[in-house]
């Protein structure tokens, strides 16, 4: 045993070295950490131990660590580093080191150091696992340590903001909106920096792709997930050289669900929570319960159920909405929903270095959609009854042995979403329909870390792949006058088809010093979409026979031209003495059927590079460059049929459709500082500016197919030129415990390509009437300000929020009418009171001034709820 190890083993109780309680100590590692400011020392410790260091509200200003050189377990190294600093720590059973506090009196007694300074928690945990911290609305601190455009919606923010729908959670994230152009449908379509739909933003639940799409007047991509079991929402605003970016153009959103550790307090065998919410304006009931139990030191299970009943709400009374077709009085038609959700998870520490997690999340949503037919005085109401069942099955294997070369993560998942729809009272009704999307996928990645003579080096490499299998079935559909049933090929713009995406990647992260980090990555994405789409051409008639016309003087009928008779020939009055002739007999009109074969594949190398510097402990500027690549989806590849009504000659696929390609440049800065004005205050700040160029952007346009040179079809086409998006995103928070203030700023400018080239080589302006571009644009500016106070030893919290959004002015195609909206300003107030550590009462009033407004990135005929008050009870056991 070396001298440092002997000192650790023989240290007296008052030495300041804390004997670690709980959990098995890891095998020894080599540490080389010089004496330095404590914050920098903890960063070095995180790299050399393989743990992620996350600061909560702790302050380490003015403290210097002890040097650690030699072979120690991570716990021994941390104890030596903190010796004589007066800071205590402990390690829980799940290998989390908590510095500066304890979770129970018993545990506190185990680690008490005489004369120690008690700090707020500083947590060291593996990966980006933290779900709350000192940032805006409880954002975890790792967000302000990551040199990237990332945001997190924390568990604290989720619990503090009762929502009618999970998309409400996205409204306060810089650069992010939830599209509400299908406001009666509770599915979530995320818009990041002006990009949405068609997998431009990869949306996931626990890493499982949510690829469901359905054609409609507005958004097409929809994710169905309830807030009850979300522990955090991770948002990447550009693509990465890692898991989650395959086939995406502009980033990802991952809804992470609860783990057993979120419900079971340290030292306990079981735990759970009950959440109950009710309110005004048809916020009838939102309740859930979840519980977890440790069946042994290595195995735990978690389960939960929830039920939400929300009625059709009143819109605000101060202002006007442009269309009356979606309202009955002040009530937004069919804006209610009924949702039943469930979660089941099992977590097992199979060996000392292997953990397995199995999960199932189910969402069962029932709702209606519809509107008046425009002639409101006639009272014709069109209604569709819809049900969506979304099942997400996940499995995860994590292996972290005592080796810096292995940190293995393997994921396998299956997602199945089924949307049943029955229309009533519509002359365009296609009858009952069933839309299904099944996605099977997985990923494997490993991280190898090296301490070289030139600095720390980490290599992350692996692959991910998934298969989308979409199927649309109409059980009763369009039957033509001649008796032909077109139901099997009428898809309402949501075709059946299959698509495969495979991606391999590698990324190197090099830190030659504590103040410089350079990352470079390369990924290769490949896709294949193959199948046949049925397209119907112009109406025609078949000749089913001929009849003889005798020559009867003086004016016999003859047919022109003379035999042989071509199709569609005609008979005219002849001259006396003409011979007898024949004429064809036609059957009824029908649509001529064509099969369009689609077999597209391709790939692209996608580099990325990030450089981050840290000139001061509190400041981290960074720059990033990345390429992205989005292949056409099933909808874009196999589009056929027509709009939701009885049409089979409206849509056709474009076999020449090309993938979208993007380049993104980012520059940003992180600021994290503690103890600025008081011992306990914190300041967190992240700002990112971006510039993005996209070529071959895909939208709607008119084309003619090889099978029909007469009839034009609406199809997906590549826009000519370059689409450009640029902007800045800021989020910041100052928290002095008794008072806090934070907010976000989003500024964006978009310059869209405005034409496309038809397969025949003709350039077609989108706004010429030959196109129907569907491109949603974010408003240029949104500012959110949130502030509050904590009183009575922080048991009472009172706060308010202001959201100011500029007007929305779509520039292209069909969205120039119906989707242009004035700006608006909304006020909310909220608060909570903790009766004890286990029981908290929350309240909120949203849209305090009862303004009538349509939310940004939506439709101007779908208004947000008017003034709504809610009260919630959260109980933990």
């Amino acid at each position: 045993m070396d001298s440092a190890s002997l000192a650790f083993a023989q240290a007296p109780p008052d030495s300041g070295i804390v004997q670690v309680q709980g959990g098995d100590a890891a095998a020894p590692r080599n540490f080389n950490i010089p004496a330095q400011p404590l914050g920098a020392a903890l960063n070095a410790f995180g790299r050399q131990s393989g743990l992620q260091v996350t600061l909560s509200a702790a302050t380490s200003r003015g403290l210097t660590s002890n040097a650690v050189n030699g072979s120690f377990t991570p716990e021994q190294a941390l104890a030596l580093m903190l010796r004589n600093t007066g800071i205590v720590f402990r390690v829980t059973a799940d290998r989390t080191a908590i510095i500066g506090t304890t979770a129970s009196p018993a545990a506190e007694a185990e680690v008490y150091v005489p004369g120690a300074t008690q700090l707020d928690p500083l947590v060291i945990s593996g990966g980006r696992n933290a779900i709350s911290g000192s940032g805006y609305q409880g954002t975890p601190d790792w967000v302000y340590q990551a040199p990237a455009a990332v945001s997190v919606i924390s568990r604290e923010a989720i619990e503090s903001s009762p929502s009618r729908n999970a998309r409400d959670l996205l409204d306060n994230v810089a650069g992010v909106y939830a599209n509400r152009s299908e406001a009666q449908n509770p599915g979530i379509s995320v818009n990041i920096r002006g990009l949405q739909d068609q997998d431009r933003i990869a949306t996931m639940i626990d890493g499982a792709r949510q690829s469901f799409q359905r054609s409609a007047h507005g958004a097409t991509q929809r994710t169905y997930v309830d807030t009850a079991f979300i522990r955090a929402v991770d948002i990447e605003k550009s693509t990465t050289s890692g898991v989650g970016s395959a086939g995406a153009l502009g980033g990802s959103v991952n809804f992470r669900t609860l783990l057993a550790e979120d419900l079971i307090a340290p030292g306990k065998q079981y735990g759970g929570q009950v959440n109950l919410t009710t309110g005004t304006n048809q916020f009838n009931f939102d309740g859930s319960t979840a519980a977890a139990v440790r069946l042994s030191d290595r195995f735990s299970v978690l389960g939960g159920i929830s039920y939400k009943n929300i009625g059709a709400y009143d819109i605000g009374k101060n202002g006007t909405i442009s269309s009356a077709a979606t309202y009955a009085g002040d009530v937004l038609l069919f804006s209610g929903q009924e949702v039943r959700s469930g979660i089941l998870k099992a977590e097992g520490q199979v060996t000392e270095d292997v953990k397995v997690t199995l999960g199932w999340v189910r969402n069962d949503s029932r709702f209606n959609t519809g509107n008046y037919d425009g002639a409101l005085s006639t009272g014709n109401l069109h209604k569709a009854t819809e049900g969506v069942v979304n099942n997400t099955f996940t499995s995860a294997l994590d292996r972290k042995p005592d080796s810096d070369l292995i940190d293995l993560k393997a994921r396998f998942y299956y997602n199945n979403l089924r949307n049943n729809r029955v229309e009533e009272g519509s002359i365009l009704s296609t009858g009952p329909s069933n839309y299904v999307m099944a996605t099977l996928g997985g990923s494997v990645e490993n991280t190898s870390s090296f301490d070289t003579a030139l600095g720390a080096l980490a290599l992350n490499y692996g692959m991910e792949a998934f298969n989308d299998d979409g199927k649309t079935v109409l059980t009763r559909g369009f039957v033509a006058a001649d008796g032909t049933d077109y139901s099997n090929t009428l898809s309402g713009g949501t075709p059946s088809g299959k698509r495969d995406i495979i991606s391999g990647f590698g990324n190197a992260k090099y830190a030659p010093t504590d103040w410089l980090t350079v990352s470079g990555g390369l990924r290769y994405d490949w896709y294949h979409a193959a199948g046949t789409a049925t397209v119907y051409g112009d109406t025609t008639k078949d000749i089913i026979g001929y009849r003889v016309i005798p020559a009867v003087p003086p004016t016999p009928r003859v047919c022109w031209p003379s035999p042989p008779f071509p199709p569609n020939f005609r008979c005219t009055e002849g001259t006396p003495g003409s011979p007898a002739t024949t004429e064809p007999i036609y059957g009824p009109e029908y649509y001529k059927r064509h099969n369009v074969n689609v077999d597209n594949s391709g790939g692209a190398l996608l580099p990325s590079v990030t450089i981050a510097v840290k000139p001061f402990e509190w400041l981290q500027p960074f720059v990033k460059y990345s390429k992205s690549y989005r292949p056409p989806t099933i909808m874009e590849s196999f589009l056929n049929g027509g709009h939701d009504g009885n049409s089979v000659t409206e849509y056709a696929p474009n076999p020449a459709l090309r993938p979208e390609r993007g380049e993104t440049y980012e520059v940003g800065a992180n600021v994290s500082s503690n103890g600025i004005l008081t011992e306990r205050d914190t300041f967190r700040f992240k700002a990112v500016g971006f510039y993005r160029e996209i070529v071959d952007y895909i939208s709607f346009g008119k084309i003619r197919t090889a099978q029909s040179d007469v009839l034009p079809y609406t199809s997906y086409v590549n826009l000519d030129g370059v689409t450009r998006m640029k902007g800045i995103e800021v989020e910041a928070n100052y928290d002095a415990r008794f008072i806090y203030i934070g907010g976000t700023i989003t500024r964006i400018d978009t310059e869209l390509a405005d034409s496309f080239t038809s397969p025949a080589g003709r350039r077609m302006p989108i706004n010429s009437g030959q196109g129907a571009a569907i491109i949603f644009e974010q408003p240029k500016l949104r500012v959110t300000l949130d502030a509050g106070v904590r009183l009575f030893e922080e048991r009472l919290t009172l706060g308010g929020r202001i959201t100011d959004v500029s007007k929305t002015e779509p520039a292209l195609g069909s969205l120039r009418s119906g989707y242009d909206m004035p700006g608006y300003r909304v006020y909310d107030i909220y608060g909570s009171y903790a009766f004890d550590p286990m029981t908290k009462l929350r309240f909120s009033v949203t849209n305090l001034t009862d303004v009538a407004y349509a939310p940004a990135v939506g439709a101007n005929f779908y208004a947000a709820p008017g003034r709504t008050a809610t009260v919630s009870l959260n109980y933990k056991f």
Side-chain angles (χ1 to χ4, degrees):
M1 179 180 295
D2 57 38
S3 58
S5 299
L6 183 63
F8 177 86
Q10 297 179 348
D14 60 352
S15 66
I17 298 179
V18 182
Q19 303 290 337
V20 179
Q21 306 293 326
D24 296 329
R29 298 170 177 263
N30 290 321
F31 288 88
N32 181 13
I33 305 175
Q36 57 189 303
L38 186 56
L42 289 171
N43 288 336
F45 172 80
R47 291 194 302 270
Q48 297 182 26
S49 67
L51 301 177
Q52 172 74 29
V53 178
T54 301
L55 286 154
S56 182
T59 176
S60 58
R61 188 176 64 171
L63 296 178
T64 301
S65 71
N66 300 294
V68 180
N69 293 284
S71 177
F72 308 101
T73 68
E75 291 85 355
Q76 290 172 335
L78 188 56
L80 288 170
M81 182 189 301
L82 299 176
R83 183 175 54 183
N84 297 324
T85 63
I87 297 178
V88 299
F89 77 94
R90 69 187 186 89
V91 175
T92 65
D94 61 356
R95 295 187 176 185
T96 296
I98 301 177
I99 299 177
T101 189
T102 58
S104 66
E108 185 174 356
E110 292 172 349
V111 298
Y112 176 71
V113 178
T117 301
Q118 197 75 5
L119 300 178
D120 288 338
L122 179 152
V123 180
I124 301 175
S125 60
R128 297 179 172 186
N129 198 45
I131 58 174
S132 62
S134 304
Y136 176 61
Q137 293 191 332
T139 299
D141 286 344
W142 69 260
V143 170
Y144 308 97
Q145 301 166 1
V150 296
S151 293
V152 169
I153 301 172
S154 69
R155 182 65 184 169
E156 176 183 330
I158 294 170
E159 291 180 339
S160 299
S161 303
S163 58
R164 294 176 182 266
N165 183 277
R167 62 191 173 200
D168 296 343
L169 301 175
L170 301 166
D171 288 342
N172 297 316
V173 180
V176 180
Y177 290 83
N179 184 286
R180 286 177 170 82
S181 62
E182 295 289 314
Q184 297 168 330
N185 190 315
I188 305 168
S189 178
V190 183
N191 185 303
I192 297 179
R193 295 177 172 176
L195 296 178
Q196 70 170 66
D197 290 333
Q198 307 295 347
D199 282 343
R200 291 187 177 93
I201 306 300
T203 309
M204 298 166 281
I205 297 176
D206 288 332
R209 291 292 185 113
Q210 306 292 303
S211 297
F212 178 77
Q213 298 183 26
R214 203 187 85 191
S215 182
H217 286 151
T220 58
Q221 189 156 6
R222 298 162 192 173
T223 298
Y224 295 83
V225 62
D226 193 16
T227 58
F229 308 123
I230 300 175
R231 74 190 304 259
V233 184
D234 295 345
I235 300 169
E236 294 266 6
K237 301 172 190 176
S238 61
T239 55
T240 67
S241 296
V243 171
S245 287
L249 186 68
S252 63
V253 176
N254 187 22
F255 295 90
R256 292 191 287 143
T257 59
L258 294 173
L259 299 173
E261 66 187 50
D262 301 319
L263 301 176
I264 304 176
K268 301 290 185 180
Q269 291 299 112
Y270 64 89
Q273 63 184 25
V274 176
N275 297 308
L276 302 172
T277 302
T278 188
T280 63
N281 200 4
Q282 298 300 308
F283 201 116
N284 300 328
F285 180 78
D286 184 4
S288 67
T289 182
V293 58
R294 296 193 187 279
L295 302 179
S296 68
D297 290 340
R298 294 179 177 269
F299 185 72
S300 63
V301 294
L302 177 154
I305 57 174
S306 74
Y307 175 73
K308 177 179 291 186
N309 186 304
I310 305 294
Y313 58 75
D314 285 345
I315 67 172
K317 294 180 174 55
N318 297 317
T320 58
I321 298 298
S322 63
S323 173
T326 51
Y327 298 92
D330 292 329
V331 177
L332 176 60
L333 292 177
F334 310 128
S335 53
Q337 57 183 292
E338 188 175 17
V339 181
R340 294 175 175 85
S341 298
I343 186 173
L344 185 63
K345 279 190 178 181
E347 304 172 51
Q349 193 73 39
V350 180
T351 67
E352 292 299 321
D353 53 24
V354 175
K355 181 179 180 179
V356 175
T357 304
L358 302 176
W360 171 42
V361 180
R362 176 183 172 87
N363 181 283
D364 186 343
S365 298
R366 308 296 173 91
F367 55 97
N368 297 314
T369 58
N371 61 279
Y372 290 103
D373 62 5
L376 185 59
S377 61
T378 66
N380 291 330
L381 178 65
H382 306 308
K383 173 184 176 183
T385 300
E386 305 208 34
V388 173
V389 176
N390 187 22
N391 284 293
T392 301
F393 302 90
T394 57
S395 62
L397 183 147
D398 297 273
R399 181 169 182 253
K400 185 65 178 77
D402 180 30
S403 171
D404 290 339
L405 300 180
I406 301 176
D407 187 357
L408 181 68
K409 295 179 173 60
R411 305 289 185 265
F412 186 71
Y413 61 83
Y414 175 72
N415 176 250
N416 183 285
L417 193 149
R418 184 179 299 270
N419 179 190
N420 296 314
R421 172 185 173 93
V422 178
E423 292 189 28
E424 306 169 16
S426 174
I427 59 173
L428 299 178
S429 174
T430 58
S433 53
N434 181 257
Y435 306 90
V436 179
M437 177 65 76
T439 301
L440 180 68
S443 64
V444 59
E445 63 175 319
N446 184 57
T447 302
S448 300
S449 301
F450 308 87
D451 284 324
T452 71
L454 299 177
L457 175 66
L459 302 178
N460 175 260
Y461 45 92
M463 66 177 297
E464 66 174 316
F466 61 91
N467 167 266
D468 290 333
D469 187 353
K471 188 174 183 180
T472 296
V473 176
L474 301 183
T475 57
R476 178 176 58 84
F478 179 28
V479 179
D482 65 348
T484 303
D485 188 347
Y486 295 96
S487 300
N488 291 335
T489 52
L490 185 65
S491 66
T494 306
S496 301
K498 295 184 179 181
R499 183 184 69 150
D500 300 307
I501 289 184
I502 301 175
S503 178
F505 58 85
N507 189 75
K509 181 179 180 181
Y510 176 53
T513 69
D514 288 339
W515 59 267
L516 174 64
T517 302
V518 180
S519 299
L522 185 67
R523 66 183 302 131
Y524 181 77
D525 284 5
W526 178 86
Y527 85 101
H528 184 215
T532 301
T534 300
V535 178
Y536 291 90
D538 299 317
T539 57
T540 188
K541 296 179 179 181
D542 274 343
I543 299 175
I544 61 175
Y546 295 88
R547 66 178 178 177
V548 176
I549 303 176
V552 179
T555 56
R557 296 183 65 197
V558 297
C559 293
W560 179 91
S562 58
F565 302 117
N568 300 320
F569 64 92
R570 59 191 179 86
C571 294
T572 61
E573 296 298 321
T575 59
S578 296
T581 58
T582 60
E583 69 176 2
I585 301 173
Y586 291 96
E589 287 189 346
Y590 72 100
Y591 294 105
K592 190 173 182 180
R593 175 172 177 159
H594 309 283
N595 288 328
V596 179
N597 295 319
V598 177
D599 190 350
N600 291 332
S601 62
L605 280 171
L606 308 170
S608 64
V609 61
T610 301
I611 301 174
V613 297
K614 205 164 188 180
F616 306 101
E617 183 63 26
W618 51 271
L619 175 64
Q620 183 190 48
F622 61 88
V623 294
K624 179 182 177 181
Y625 167 79
S626 61
K627 278 192 172 184
S628 55
Y629 176 81
R630 186 190 71 85
T633 60
I634 290 174
M635 182 183 294
E636 293 168 325
S637 298
F638 303 100
L639 182 70
N640 69 339
H643 192 268
D644 266 346
N646 294 331
S647 171
V648 294
T649 60
E650 185 176 358
Y651 298 146
N654 178 4
L657 195 63
R658 300 182 300 276
E660 297 175 342
R661 298 172 183 264
E663 288 186 277
T664 302
Y665 303 82
E666 296 172 291
V667 57
N670 292 316
V671 175
S672 296
S673 184
N674 301 329
I676 302 169
L677 301 177
T678 71
E679 281 192 358
R680 302 182 67 198
D681 67 357
T682 62
F683 177 68
R684 300 291 182 264
F685 175 90
K686 178 184 281 284
V688 181
F690 71 92
Y691 174 75
R692 174 176 287 149
E693 292 187 346
I694 302 169
V695 295
D696 288 329
Y697 194 99
I698 297 175
S699 187
F700 268 159
K702 293 287 188 180
I703 69 170
R704 300 178 189 275
T705 70
Q707 292 80 9
S708 174
D709 59 0
V710 176
L711 183 69
Y713 294 87
T714 296
S715 184
Y716 285 100
V717 297
N718 296 105
L719 299 188
D720 298 327
V722 179
T723 290
R724 296 178 174 88
M725 299 171 176
K726 59 184 178 181
I728 186 169
E729 303 147 355
V730 178
E731 69 172 62
N733 190 74
Y734 174 77
D735 192 339
R737 306 309 304 167
F738 69 93
I739 189 171
Y740 62 89
I741 183 170
T744 65
I745 300 173
T746 300
R747 167 76 191 194
I748 186 171
D749 289 283
T750 304
E751 180 185 335
L752 296 163
D754 60 1
S755 66
F756 68 95
T757 301
S758 70
R762 181 184 176 191
R763 187 170 183 178
M764 314 282 285
I766 285 291
N767 289 337
S768 68
Q770 294 298 310
I774 304 294
I775 303 176
F776 284 95
E777 296 183 51
Q778 291 189 2
K780 289 186 179 297
L781 182 65
R782 182 185 66 193
V783 179
T784 300
L785 184 64
D786 190 307
V789 297
R790 300 184 182 97
L791 307 172
F792 305 116
E793 298 180 338
E794 299 187 13
R795 298 176 69 177
L796 175 64
T797 298
L798 298 173
R801 181 169 47 247
I802 304 173
T803 303
D804 191 274
V805 181
S806 67
K807 62 182 178 181
T808 305
E809 297 178 293
L812 295 180
S814 62
L815 295 190
R816 286 180 298 167
S817 62
Y819 299 86
D820 55 330
M821 291 171 287
Y824 55 89
R825 179 176 295 167
V826 179
Y827 299 87
D828 306 321
I829 59 173
Y830 61 88
S832 66
Y833 183 79
F835 295 98
D836 55 53
M838 311 300 286
T839 309
K840 181 172 287 189
L841 185 69
R842 305 177 190 269
F843 71 89
S844 70
V845 181
T846 57
N847 195 357
L848 183 66
T849 57
D850 204 26
V851 62
Y853 72 98
V857 195
N860 59 23
F861 43 85
Y862 285 132
R867 184 187 300 115
T868 304
T870 59
V871 59
S872 304
L873 179 65
N874 308 127
Y875 174 69
K876 298 179 180 180
F877 57 90

